[in-house]
CSV table of all heavy atoms in Angstrom, one decimal:
chain,number,residue,atom,x,y,z
A,18,SER,N,64.6,72.2,80.6
A,18,SER,CA,64.5,71.7,79.3
A,18,SER,C,65.6,72.5,78.4
A,18,SER,O,66.3,72.0,77.6
A,18,SER,CB,63.2,71.7,78.6
A,18,SER,OG,62.4,70.9,79.4
A,19,VAL,N,65.6,73.8,78.5
A,19,VAL,CA,66.4,74.6,77.7
A,19,VAL,C,67.8,74.3,78.1
A,19,VAL,O,68.8,74.1,77.2
A,19,VAL,CB,66.1,76.2,78.0
A,19,VAL,CG1,67.2,77.0,77.3
A,19,VAL,CG2,64.8,76.5,77.4
A,20,ALA,N,68.1,74.2,79.4
A,20,ALA,CA,69.5,73.9,79.8
A,20,ALA,C,70.0,72.5,79.3
A,20,ALA,O,71.0,72.3,78.8
A,20,ALA,CB,69.6,73.9,81.3
A,21,ALA,N,69.0,71.5,79.3
A,21,ALA,CA,69.3,70.2,78.9
A,21,ALA,C,69.6,70.2,77.4
A,21,ALA,O,70.5,69.5,76.9
A,21,ALA,CB,68.2,69.3,79.2
A,22,ALA,N,68.8,70.9,76.6
A,22,ALA,CA,69.0,71.0,75.1
A,22,ALA,C,70.4,71.6,74.8
A,22,ALA,O,71.0,71.1,73.9
A,22,ALA,CB,67.9,71.8,74.6
A,23,LEU,N,70.7,72.7,75.4
A,23,LEU,CA,72.0,73.2,75.2
A,23,LEU,C,73.1,72.3,75.5
A,23,LEU,O,74.1,72.3,74.6
A,23,LEU,CB,72.1,74.6,75.9
A,23,LEU,CG,71.3,75.7,75.5
A,23,LEU,CD1,71.4,76.9,76.6
A,23,LEU,CD2,71.7,76.3,74.2
A,24,ALA,N,73.1,71.6,76.6
A,24,ALA,CA,74.1,70.6,77.0
A,24,ALA,C,74.2,69.6,75.8
A,24,ALA,O,75.4,69.3,75.4
A,24,ALA,CB,73.8,70.1,78.3
A,25,LEU,N,73.2,69.0,75.4
A,25,LEU,CA,73.1,68.0,74.4
A,25,LEU,C,73.5,68.4,73.1
A,25,LEU,O,74.3,67.9,72.4
A,25,LEU,CB,71.7,67.3,74.3
A,25,LEU,CG,71.4,66.4,75.4
A,25,LEU,CD1,69.9,66.3,75.6
A,25,LEU,CD2,72.0,65.1,75.2
A,26,LEU,N,73.0,69.7,72.7
A,26,LEU,CA,73.3,70.2,71.4
A,26,LEU,C,74.9,70.5,71.2
A,26,LEU,O,75.5,70.3,70.2
A,26,LEU,CB,72.4,71.5,71.0
A,26,LEU,CG,71.0,71.2,70.9
A,26,LEU,CD1,70.1,72.4,71.1
A,26,LEU,CD2,70.7,70.5,69.5
A,27,GLN,N,75.4,71.2,72.3
A,27,GLN,CA,76.8,71.5,72.3
A,27,GLN,C,77.7,70.3,72.3
A,27,GLN,O,78.9,70.3,72.1
A,27,GLN,CB,77.1,72.4,73.5
A,27,GLN,CG,76.6,73.8,73.3
A,27,GLN,CD,76.5,74.6,74.5
A,27,GLN,OE1,77.1,74.3,75.5
A,27,GLN,NE2,75.8,75.8,74.4
A,28,ARG,N,77.0,69.0,72.7
A,28,ARG,CA,77.8,67.9,72.6
A,28,ARG,C,77.6,67.1,71.2
A,28,ARG,O,78.1,66.0,71.0
A,28,ARG,CB,77.4,66.8,73.7
A,28,ARG,CG,77.6,67.3,75.1
A,28,ARG,CD,79.2,67.2,75.4
A,28,ARG,NE,79.4,67.5,76.8
A,28,ARG,CZ,80.7,67.8,77.3
A,28,ARG,NH1,81.7,67.3,76.6
A,28,ARG,NH2,80.8,68.0,78.6
A,29,GLY,N,76.9,67.8,70.3
A,29,GLY,CA,76.7,67.3,68.9
A,29,GLY,C,75.5,66.4,68.7
A,29,GLY,O,75.4,65.8,67.6
A,30,HIS,N,74.6,66.4,69.6
A,30,HIS,CA,73.4,65.4,69.4
A,30,HIS,C,72.1,66.1,68.7
A,30,HIS,O,72.1,67.4,68.8
A,30,HIS,CB,73.0,64.9,70.8
A,30,HIS,CG,74.0,64.0,71.4
A,30,HIS,ND1,74.4,62.8,71.0
A,30,HIS,CD2,74.9,64.3,72.5
A,30,HIS,CE1,75.3,62.3,71.7
A,30,HIS,NE2,75.7,63.1,72.6
A,31,ARG,N,71.4,65.4,68.2
A,31,ARG,CA,70.2,65.9,67.7
A,31,ARG,C,69.0,65.8,68.6
A,31,ARG,O,68.9,64.8,69.3
A,31,ARG,CB,69.8,65.2,66.3
A,31,ARG,CG,70.8,65.3,65.2
A,31,ARG,CD,70.4,64.7,63.9
A,31,ARG,NE,71.3,65.0,62.9
A,31,ARG,CZ,71.4,66.1,62.1
A,31,ARG,NH1,70.5,67.0,62.4
A,31,ARG,NH2,72.4,66.3,61.3
A,32,VAL,N,68.2,66.9,68.8
A,32,VAL,CA,67.3,67.0,69.9
A,32,VAL,C,66.0,67.6,69.3
A,32,VAL,O,65.9,68.3,68.4
A,32,VAL,CB,67.9,68.0,70.9
A,32,VAL,CG1,66.9,68.2,72.1
A,32,VAL,CG2,69.2,67.5,71.5
Side-chain angles (χ1 to χ4, degrees):
S18 300
V19 173
L23 287 169
L25 285 156
L26 291 163
Q27 289 168 7
R28 296 287 183 185
H30 296 290
R31 294 186 178 275
V32 176

